Amino acid sequence: MATDELSSKLSRRLQIEDGAEEPVAVDEGGQGHENGAVEEKAATANADSELGAKLMRRGELNDGVGEHHQPSMKVFNPYTEFKEFSRKQIKDMEKMFKQYDAGKDGFIDLMELKLMMEKLGAPQTHLGLKNMIKEVDEDLDNKLSFREFLLIFRKSAAGELAEDSGLSVLARLSEIDVSTEGVKGAKTFFEAKVAAVNAGSQFEAEIRQEQEEKKKQAEEKKQRQAAFKNLQSAFK
């Protein structure tokens, strides 16, 4: 209702200014007309201000300055999208990502990336950090999501990163915790990953062997119990 009233006043104001309509005085002293004119001017100023703000906001969005806050409905599954990595590798990458996501918002922003590179022993300039993000920033939000973080290692493994680029340095220096993995002598992230996968395969084989041994022991125990029952029956 307020919008309709404001629209009506603006329309009448324009008609008065164009000479299409004569102003109407409310009282003989002209006081009512004067008050109405003041109200119309105020309404026009407010409308102009509101319209100006909306146009400015629209311009910012068109220029890429403002941000759309519409949430994405797409569900990201790293295990199906990044099939070149094992489940354990992705878990380790996720652990590293969360380690540097100081704000716990699911993103690594420029300052958090700065801290990461410093801890890796390869500090970058402000422009260098911005270029690192830009290289994998698919949604143009100036920060790294976990998916975009995984893209760094996909590009590195595929040889798509320049040798001296910040992302290449990040992938090369990102080491896993060898004490946790039980891998000795692994120097780089991917060397350690390969060793971890091989160690994991051996571990699985040992688990299967242990399960077979337990199954054999259970069968032998069952046979002994059956033999004992037969022996008891013979003395009854």
Side-chain angles (χ1 to χ4, degrees):
M1 296 299 292
T3 304
D4 294 340
E5 182 179 358
L6 177 59
S7 177
S8 177
K9 288 182 178 180
L10 288 175
S11 177
R12 182 170 178 274
R13 179 66 178 177
L14 290 173
Q15 290 176 354
I16 292 174
E17 291 177 350
D18 293 338
E21 182 177 338
E22 294 294 328
V24 179
V26 175
D27 55 41
E28 295 180 356
Q31 187 66 35
H33 170 66
E34 183 179 346
N35 292 340
V38 171
E39 291 176 0
E40 287 179 358
K41 287 182 179 180
T44 302
N46 290 337
D48 289 344
S49 177
E50 182 180 355
L51 179 59
K54 288 183 178 180
L55 290 175
M56 182 178 295
R57 173 63 176 163
R58 176 59 59 87
E60 289 177 349
L61 293 176
N62 291 338
D63 294 338
V65 178
E67 294 184 1
H68 292 278
H69 296 286
Q70 182 176 356
S72 174
M73 300 303 292
K74 184 178 179 181
V75 177
F76 166 56
N77 187 333
Y79 305 109
T80 58
E81 185 169 347
F82 291 83
K83 294 181 179 180
E84 65 267 40
F85 299 123
S86 69
R87 188 177 184 86
K88 190 174 188 307
Q89 285 176 321
I90 291 177
K91 286 290 186 183
D92 287 339
M93 293 175 189
E94 183 179 19
K95 180 179 179 181
M96 180 182 180
F97 179 85
K98 290 181 176 180
Q99 176 183 350
Y100 291 102
D101 177 19
K104 305 303 178 185
D105 58 354
F107 296 94
I108 291 180
D109 60 23
L110 189 138
M111 292 306 297
E112 290 166 339
L113 181 60
K114 177 178 183 294
L115 178 61
M116 175 190 291
M117 297 307 294
E118 289 175 352
K119 287 193 174 183
L120 291 175
Q124 303 288 309
T125 64
H126 181 76
L127 181 59
L129 293 168
K130 291 181 68 175
N131 288 335
M132 287 175 67
I133 293 176
K134 184 178 180 180
E135 193 164 352
V136 290
D137 186 18
E138 292 187 334
D139 55 6
L140 304 179
D141 60 355
N142 298 318
K143 52 189 176 182
L144 298 177
S145 65
F146 180 51
R147 182 184 181 281
E148 291 164 343
F149 185 71
L150 291 177
L151 284 176
I152 298 172
F153 298 97
R154 168 179 280 178
K155 287 176 175 288
S156 178
E160 297 176 0
L161 298 177
E163 185 66 23
D164 58 346
S165 71
L167 293 185
S168 180
V169 173
L170 187 156
R172 188 166 62 248
L173 296 178
S174 298
E175 298 180 0
I176 60 173
D177 187 350
V178 294
S179 63
T180 301
E181 295 295 337
V183 181
K184 296 181 179 180
K187 299 299 182 183
T188 67
F189 180 83
F190 285 102
E191 287 177 355
K193 288 301 179 184
V194 171
V197 169
N198 293 336
S201 299
Q202 181 180 356
F203 180 76
E204 291 175 0
E206 292 173 351
I207 290 293
R208 287 195 296 270
Q209 182 178 356
E210 183 179 342
Q211 290 174 341
E212 289 294 331
E213 186 66 27
K214 288 182 178 180
K215 183 178 179 181
K216 182 180 178 181
Q217 291 176 357
E219 187 65 28
E220 290 176 351
K221 182 179 180 181
K222 184 177 179 180
Q223 291 176 357
R224 288 197 301 270
Q225 289 176 341
F228 181 73
K229 288 182 178 179
N230 291 337
L231 184 61
Q232 282 184 323
S233 298
F235 284 98
K236 289 182 179 179

